[in-house]
Amino acid sequence: MRVVLLGPPGAGKGTLAAAIKEKFGMLHLSTGDILRAEMKSGSSLGNEMKSFVDKGELVPDEVVTRIIANKLRNSDLSKGVLFDGYPRTVQQAQDLDKILSDLDAPIDVVVFMEVDLPVIIKRLTGRRVCRQCGAVYHTVNIPSKKEGICDLCQGELYQRADDKEETIRNRMDVYLTSTAPIINYYQKQEKLRKVDASQDVKDVLVFFEGLIKSNE
């Protein structure tokens, strides 16, 4: 089963994807993780990406699509694939359809995770990430035992530039203008399913399990 997780920043796509991967063994392609790894490498491409991300803007379509295509062609797709953070524009969605058509593995369903801006701001402004191991915490929901210190490796916890409120609001503006049209794109393909992402991830996972059974 090939699934696209759609929704604004902070909708919980990464959290849901991790739960799905653990339960069903599906390949999880997180664009955010892929891009951050490239940026951390310090390559010229990574530095170019960072200039967009730090301003809450989208990395150009052709760059992201090239990275995703390479990942798909070099991965085992037999247990299914979760696309988390991609596609973000209609052009990316069209490109992904072409890539998957060539691989004879089209998208089965698109899950649109709906959530309001106040919930998003609360979720993202409280997120903290370990500089050393990349573990993710939240100042309210998943606090570290010692403030500012990772429980796993004792590394420093920090707030990503794109998790500050001003940047979050900018990301939402970008989302509304660039990503929301994908909803119509997948609705026309009759692949879109909506879920209330403000509820606990366990409840959203139950919804997803229902999709798995209906597509068996």
Side-chain angles (χ1 to χ4, degrees), residues 96-190:
L96 180 61
D97 279 348
K98 184 178 185 307
I99 293 166
L100 292 177
S101 176
D102 291 343
L103 295 172
D104 194 26
I107 292 296
D108 292 301
V109 66
V110 178
V111 177
F112 176 49
M113 302 175 68
E114 297 181 299
V115 61
D116 294 330
L117 181 58
V119 175
I120 290 171
I121 291 176
K122 184 177 180 181
R123 284 178 177 176
L124 293 186
T125 56
R127 182 163 58 182
R128 298 293 183 270
V129 182
C130 176
R131 291 190 185 278
Q132 291 186 192
C133 71
V136 179
Y137 297 85
H138 191 280
T139 55
V140 176
N141 300 331
I142 317 172
S144 57
K145 294 177 182 177
K146 185 176 181 180
E147 185 176 353
I149 302 297
C150 177
D151 294 345
L152 303 177
C153 71
Q154 310 307 305
E156 177 192 1
L157 301 183
Y158 75 104
Q159 183 183 44
R160 286 178 6 202
D162 54 337
D163 281 344
K164 295 179 180 178
E165 184 169 343
E166 181 180 354
T167 305
I168 292 169
R169 292 183 181 277
N170 187 31
R171 290 168 71 191
M172 282 300 296
D173 289 340
V174 172
Y175 168 76
L176 290 172
T177 56
S178 301
T179 310
I182 299 178
I183 297 170
N184 293 328
Y185 178 82
Y186 284 121
Q187 277 182 327
K188 290 178 181 178
Q189 294 185 359
E190 299 184 347

Side-chain angles (χ1 to χ4, degrees), residues 1 3 20-21 24-28 79-82 208 212:
M1 187 174 182
V3 182
I20 293 171
K21 178 181 178 181
F24 298 102
M26 296 174 70
L27 174 65
H28 176 203
K79 292 185 178 180
V81 186
L82 280 170
F208 187 86
I212 291 282

Side-chain angles (χ1 to χ4, degrees), residues 12 19 36 38 41 44 63 74 120 144 165 185:
R36 280 190 288 275
E38 189 68 33
S41 73
S44 58
V63 177
N74 292 285
I120 290 171
S144 57
E165 184 169 343
Y185 178 82

